[in-house]
Amino acid sequence: MTAIPGFTGDANPYGGGDPYADYRTADFPFTQYANLADRRLGAGVIAANDEFFAQRENLLVPERAEFDPEHFGHKGKIMDGWETRRRRGASAEHPWPTTEDHDWALVRLGAPGVIRGIVVDTAHFRGNYPQAVSVQGASVPGSPSPEELLGDDVKWTTLVPRTPVGGHAANGFAVLAEQRFTHLRVNQHPDGGIARLRVYGEVVPDPEWLSVLGTFDVVALENGGRVEDASNLFYSPATNTIQPGRSRKMDDGWETRRRRDQGNDWISYRLVAQSQIRAIEIDTAYLKGNSAGWASVSVRDGESGDSDETAAWTEILPRTRLQPDTNHRFVLPTPAVGTHARVDIFPDGGISRLRLHGSLTEQGAAGLAARHQELGG
């Protein structure tokens, strides 16, 4: 684990104006990965030992934390995060918490996977943030209860050792554990508040589950697909196109800036494993005056990805006219085999979702099972 970079100490008291004006943050290299603790994937904060001032569920709210200086309730200042009460010692002679005292929250990841980095965001917690944080991970099959996760038979692996953090800051930590995790235990020492938690990594699905499903979306984020690159991310991330469910608003898809040349925009994806694709969906939901005009889809078969110039792209859906705010479905005349896919839109604009329906090949299933076992799944 390496902190990149680190923030410590209080932020100044809020003095009015934009509350984010003095927010401390940095560019973390691991944010290129998907957020495994995304509510859209089914993540949840299933338990916490204390949430006196602010509810634990706020940790996973997708939007950034908001601050209203006039918002008070019966228990005090209402914060957009998870905040516990102030800890006290055992007696008047020892009124301070011990070095071992801490608060905790249990987080179920929306998609199990290998964690590459964690951001513990203390936005707006200026003098009431924890002195330090630590994070542990566990891999537990099924749908364990909080009591089961807290049992003595669950093995917890330290992902972030106890580390000082700063108030009103994005505290980022790189994670080096090459294991598959399903749950986290987030600890704050000794008490305080955390606004948001982000857990970046690679989805590692259960190969047995996918085998039972038979036909599924082989590029979906929840099934282990991921975005490798995109031509333009001006308005929204390309990962939105493989999120679960249909888009609910315009910025829940992928939209590029307006082109003023003769080029086109595109996204390249890595599939869960080598797959046989039989049908395609391209959805432009909520993109009405800015949807892509046309789109094509290509695949290629090769584990070396975009750097392999010998693995050529094969077009499986020719350039096809798209309608605004419409889900387009295409059945392929013959199944297409590949490990990577690419959608090209012409000339610019956006799509909300891409679905590639198919199944794993024997080679793909064997490779996925081997990786799952190697990562302790």
Side-chain angles (χ1 to χ4, degrees):
M1 191 285 304
T2 305
I4 317 174
F7 300 105
T8 56
D10 292 350
N12 292 326
Y14 175 64
D18 179 6
Y20 274 102
D22 60 342
Y23 176 67
R24 295 176 288 177
T25 187
D27 291 328
F28 302 114
F30 48 74
T31 56
Q32 64 179 297
Y33 296 100
N35 178 18
L36 304 183
D38 193 325
R39 284 288 298 166
R40 290 174 293 181
L41 291 174
V45 186
I46 61 176
N49 72 306
D50 186 285
E51 47 186 328
F52 185 86
F53 286 114
Q55 296 93 336
R56 65 183 190 259
E57 288 86 358
N58 290 333
L59 282 173
L60 305 187
V61 171
E63 295 79 20
R64 71 177 188 173
E66 299 298 330
F67 180 72
D68 181 353
E70 305 299 327
H71 198 189
F72 285 83
H74 295 293
K75 293 182 179 181
K77 182 72 184 73
I78 295 177
M79 298 293 290
D80 186 7
W82 168 49
E83 185 181 5
T84 65
R85 72 192 76 198
R86 300 189 188 211
R87 281 185 170 268
R88 299 297 187 230
S91 66
E93 290 75 25
H94 297 281
W96 309 279
T98 70
T99 57
E100 300 304 316
D101 286 341
H102 67 278
D103 292 317
W104 52 264
L106 296 178
V107 177
R108 179 191 63 244
L109 297 179
V114 178
I115 298 170
R116 301 302 183 191
I118 296 174
V119 174
V120 177
D121 189 346
T122 58
H124 315 303
F125 289 95
R126 296 168 177 268
N128 51 348
Y129 60 95
Q131 182 183 30
V133 300
S134 62
V135 182
Q136 300 158 291
S139 182
V140 183
S143 304
S145 67
E147 292 74 22
E148 290 171 320
L149 289 171
L150 295 171
D152 294 336
D153 57 337
V154 174
K155 178 185 176 182
W156 290 95
T157 300
T158 297
L159 306 181
V160 179
R162 182 169 175 167
T163 306
V165 294
H168 198 42
N171 300 277
F173 307 92
V175 176
L176 303 180
E178 199 68 21
Q179 296 175 243
R180 179 182 184 266
F181 295 103
T182 61
H183 294 79
L184 298 185
R185 177 170 171 149
V186 181
N187 307 300
Q188 47 179 340
H189 308 266
D191 54 38
I194 299 170
R196 297 290 188 266
L197 177 74
R198 303 293 186 243
V199 183
Y200 297 98
E202 301 172 50
V203 176
V204 180
D206 181 350
E208 184 178 358
W209 174 252
L210 296 183
S211 175
V212 169
L213 290 180
T215 296
F216 60 94
D217 182 359
V218 299
V219 76
L221 182 60
E222 61 188 320
N223 293 332
R226 68 176 187 263
V227 169
E228 289 206 321
D229 201 3
S231 60
N232 187 273
L233 302 173
F234 190 85
Y235 286 113
S236 46
T239 301
N240 282 351
T241 60
I242 54 175
Q243 289 281 3
R246 295 198 70 198
S247 174
R248 297 182 179 182
K249 53 183 179 175
M250 190 175 74
D251 67 350
D252 189 21
W254 171 60
E255 182 189 358
T256 70
R257 65 184 303 162
R258 300 189 188 210
R259 277 189 171 268
R260 304 305 187 195
D261 58 22
Q262 299 301 305
N264 75 283
D265 289 314
W266 51 268
I267 306 173
S268 62
Y269 306 86
R270 176 183 286 270
L271 308 183
V272 54
Q274 188 187 64
S275 304
Q276 191 177 64
I277 301 167
R278 293 186 286 274
I280 297 171
E281 287 185 72
I282 301 175
D283 196 353
T284 59
Y286 291 95
L287 295 161
K288 299 182 178 182
N290 50 356
S291 66
W294 293 262
S296 65
V297 177
S298 305
V299 299
R300 70 176 175 192
D301 190 25
E303 286 302 319
S304 54
D306 290 345
S307 62
D308 184 1
E309 296 181 358
T310 64
W313 290 104
T314 300
E315 190 174 73
I316 60 173
L317 179 70
R319 193 178 305 187
T320 302
R321 188 75 167 96
L322 300 182
Q323 300 300 318
D325 194 27
T326 301
N327 191 28
H328 309 76
R329 293 178 172 176
F330 309 95
V331 176
L332 300 183
T334 57
V337 174
T339 56
H340 296 74
R342 171 175 167 136
V343 59
D344 284 83
I345 63 171
F346 302 89
D348 56 20
I351 61 173
S352 61
R353 297 290 188 269
L354 174 72
R355 305 296 187 209
L356 302 178
H357 300 287
S359 56
L360 298 177
T361 64
E362 288 188 11
Q363 178 181 330
L368 186 61
R371 183 165 187 250
H372 186 265
Q373 183 177 18
E374 178 185 344
L375 295 171

